[in-house]
Amino acid sequence: MPFHYKALILVMVITTIMFALARPVLGTLIAPEDYARRRNVWLALTVAAFVLPSFWLFIAVAALVLAWAGMKDSNPVALYMSLLLAVPPIQEYMTGLGPVKNIISFDHLRLLSLVVLLPLGVRMWLRRREDDQTLAPIKALTVAHVLLFGYLLLQFGLRFPYLSVTANLRSLVETSIDVLIPYFVIVYHCRTRETLSDAMASFALTMIVLAPLAMVESVKGGLLYQGIEDRWGTSAMIQYMTRGDFLRAQVTSGNSIVLGYAFAVALGFWLYLQSRIPSAAGRWMGTAAIVSGLAAALARGPWVGALVTLVVYQALGPNAGRRTIKTVALLVVVAGVTLVSPYADKIVQFLPFAGDVNSETIGYRQHLAEVSWRLVQENPFFGTPFYMAYMEELRQGQGIIDIVNTYAGVALSSGLVGLALFSGFFLVVTLACIQTLRTYAPIDPDFSLLGAGLSASLIGALLIIATTSYYLSIPSILYGLAGLMAAYVRLSRSQRSADLPEVRGPFTQQLEDVPRYSSR
């Protein structure tokens, strides 16, 4: 039997077992019928990806399955979050006729946005609620949206003179699908604490299911999903990457750093979600799965990001000082035990800042920083058109120039103005979320911890993207996370209670009235 079909059997067996094990753990956060439907859609997409001989045939089948699931699911945003890493983000151009040879590049991420979120956005627009029209604008979110549109318009304007009409139209459509639809649909759909926690739990479930597959890849030294692109004949995306003697797991992410990034975000979600899970065994299972998946990726940037996520989460919300001290003490104990263990030397080799395995990647990143900064200084405000032409000295053995720093890529393409707009959007959303959760800490600990989980995840994610290119599922997860945070801030304004003190600050207007909820 070819390895491709052996991999399918292994994937199906492991994912089925993990969905069964996770069901009682996350059953209090995800409705049973939604859980079963999302599991079935995941398995159906997996089988279709492995069995169907053509990328476009897979897209057609997946579109039908997703359209049905999107209409049935009580929370399509959670369905979207649960399927972001269901299959690898293999991409192909939709070809046209005549002078327009390539209409738009397509992958399952864009299919999710168009088939699951766009219809939801249309339905919400058709039945706009009175409370949407009466709720006063939130200053922080208004500022954030101005920054977001400013960045996207700047990107478009800088490329406009150099691209054809069709290329400019393609750019507008792709930006709308990748950024605007996911972000704004999530912001305006997630109106309750339940929809937010459902979306977070669905993404965490995805990573818990993928964790043992990542461990199998790392231990066995084989990429389970690589046969899909071989079967479809698409351009190579999934490549073997090692660290020391170990294969760096990728599973459905397409890259080990992207996988580690997704696990780091899931860790921030899980830190909050486990507070609502009554079973201690379930809490430990989820934690062990996410940590093991993070380890299997062997990606140092995500490891640092995950550590920052943990510390930031403990530093926010109620009883922050006590929780932070306990966390730091635990980390010191773990570090001490590791250093006195017989495996200390081997473990230290892989650690960020201390390890020397694959140290050449550090040299490349330093060289990238030097070249990027030189180009930015030459055109500081709006960047350098076709900047890749000036970076030939960075071309690697694979024939590519890898901009393994999202912020450097933004600064090169749109200058410091673009970088300020891009970073400012996420900064304003984060500060608004933090100020909101601190307001709620004394009166509604559960809601405060929800905001802490979201804030910690985004802060960790923003650190990680400084170590990787801005591609694959990274933008989808990043803007989806920002959408959940903005929805959290909006939710705080729509609640009512006489117990919340008046709060005014630079990133939130008065938060007038919030109910007390049990912090179960």
Side-chain angles (χ1 to χ4, degrees), residues 300 353 355-367:
R300 292 167 173 165
F353 312 114
D356 57 2
V357 175
N358 295 127
S359 57
E360 66 277 4
T361 62
I362 299 175
Y364 178 84
R365 293 175 189 279
Q366 292 173 339
H367 193 192

Side-chain angles (χ1 to χ4, degrees), residues 449-498:
L449 289 175
L450 170 59
L454 291 170
S455 300
S457 295
L458 184 58
I459 291 171
L462 292 175
L463 175 63
I464 295 169
I465 63 174
T467 67
T468 185
S469 302
Y470 190 64
Y471 72 142
L472 301 176
S473 58
I474 284 180
S476 299
I477 296 173
L478 191 63
Y479 283 103
L481 178 52
L484 293 174
M485 294 177 67
Y488 173 83
V489 176
R490 289 187 80 248
L491 177 58
S492 72
R493 288 291 307 278
S494 63
Q495 302 184 102
R496 296 287 183 265
S497 169

Side-chain angles (χ1 to χ4, degrees), residues 185-203:
V185 170
I186 290 173
V187 170
Y188 290 101
H189 172 74
C190 294
R191 303 170 179 273
T192 66
R193 188 184 316 220
E194 288 69 27
T195 55
L196 282 172
S197 60
D198 183 18
M200 295 168 69
S202 296
F203 185 78

Side-chain angles (χ1 to χ4, degrees), residues 63-374:
L64 294 174
V65 173
L66 292 174
W68 168 80
M71 293 296 294
K72 294 287 186 179
D73 203 287
S74 66
N75 184 5
V77 165
L79 173 68
Y80 170 81
M81 296 295 293
S82 71
L83 298 174
L84 284 174
L85 278 84
V87 295
I90 297 171
Q91 197 168 85
E92 278 284 279
Y93 265 102
M94 181 184 294
T95 56
L97 299 174
V100 184
K101 295 182 178 180
N102 296 320
I103 300 176
I104 186 176
S105 59
F106 218 75
D107 56 23
H108 90 281
L109 298 171
R110 287 178 175 167
L111 183 67
L112 279 170
S113 181
L114 288 173
V115 176
V116 176
L117 294 186
L118 181 58
L120 173 62
V122 172
R123 293 197 299 270
M124 288 192 300
W125 185 81
L126 291 175
R127 55 172 191 261
R128 297 183 297 279
R129 298 184 180 182
E130 291 184 4
D131 58 350
D132 283 338
Q133 301 170 12
T134 58
L135 185 64
I138 300 174
K139 184 185 297 183
L141 297 188
T142 301
V143 172
H145 296 165
V146 168
L147 292 170
L148 175 60
F149 278 109
Y151 170 68
L152 298 178
L153 289 173
L154 177 64
Q155 289 279 84
F156 177 76
L158 292 174
R159 291 194 299 260
F160 184 81
Y162 305 100
L163 300 178
S164 65
V165 174
T166 55
N168 278 307
L169 289 175
R170 182 187 306 122
S171 175
L172 280 176
V173 172
E174 290 178 348
T175 298
S176 298
I177 296 173
D178 295 344
V179 178
L180 299 180
I181 292 175
Y183 175 75
F184 284 103
V185 170
I186 290 173
V187 170
Y188 290 101
H189 172 74
C190 294
R191 303 170 179 273
T192 66
R193 188 184 316 220
E194 288 69 27
T195 55
L196 282 172
S197 60
D198 183 18
M200 295 168 69
S202 296
F203 185 78
L205 172 64
T206 291
M207 304 316 299
I208 290 171
V209 168
L210 286 177
L213 295 176
M215 292 296 292
V216 168
E217 283 194 349
S218 182
V219 173
K220 294 296 185 180
L223 298 177
L224 297 173
Y225 290 83
Q226 189 178 40
I228 296 175
E229 65 179 13
D230 293 338
R231 182 177 177 81
W232 289 346
T234 54
S235 56
M237 175 194 69
I238 303 173
Q239 299 179 353
Y240 278 76
M241 301 173 63
T242 60
R243 177 144 284 163
D245 297 328
F246 295 94
L247 179 70
R248 298 172 64 176
Q250 300 178 33
V251 285
T252 57
S253 68
N255 183 276
S256 58
I257 296 182
V258 178
L259 181 66
Y261 161 87
F263 272 114
V265 172
L267 175 63
F269 288 0
W270 185 253
L271 290 171
Y272 162 70
L273 294 171
Q274 66 177 352
S275 67
R276 301 185 63 182
I277 295 173
S279 166
R283 294 194 295 270
W284 279 107
M285 186 202 81
T287 302
I290 292 173
V291 171
S292 63
L294 191 62
L298 289 173
R300 292 167 173 165
W303 288 353
V304 175
L307 181 61
V308 170
T309 298
L310 173 61
V311 174
V312 169
Y313 175 79
Q314 301 294 15
L316 298 174
N319 303 316
R322 182 171 54 118
R323 292 165 56 229
T324 304
I325 292 173
K326 289 173 63 176
T327 300
V328 172
L330 177 61
L331 292 174
V332 170
V333 170
V334 171
V337 171
T338 301
L339 291 175
V340 299
S341 72
Y343 304 101
D345 292 339
K346 293 183 178 180
I347 294 174
V348 169
Q349 291 181 62
F350 292 92
L351 294 180
F353 312 114
D356 57 2
V357 175
N358 295 127
S359 57
E360 66 277 4
T361 62
I362 299 175
Y364 178 84
R365 293 175 189 279
Q366 292 173 339
H367 193 192
L368 171 66
E370 293 169 0
V371 174
S372 299
W373 180 238
R374 185 177 70 237

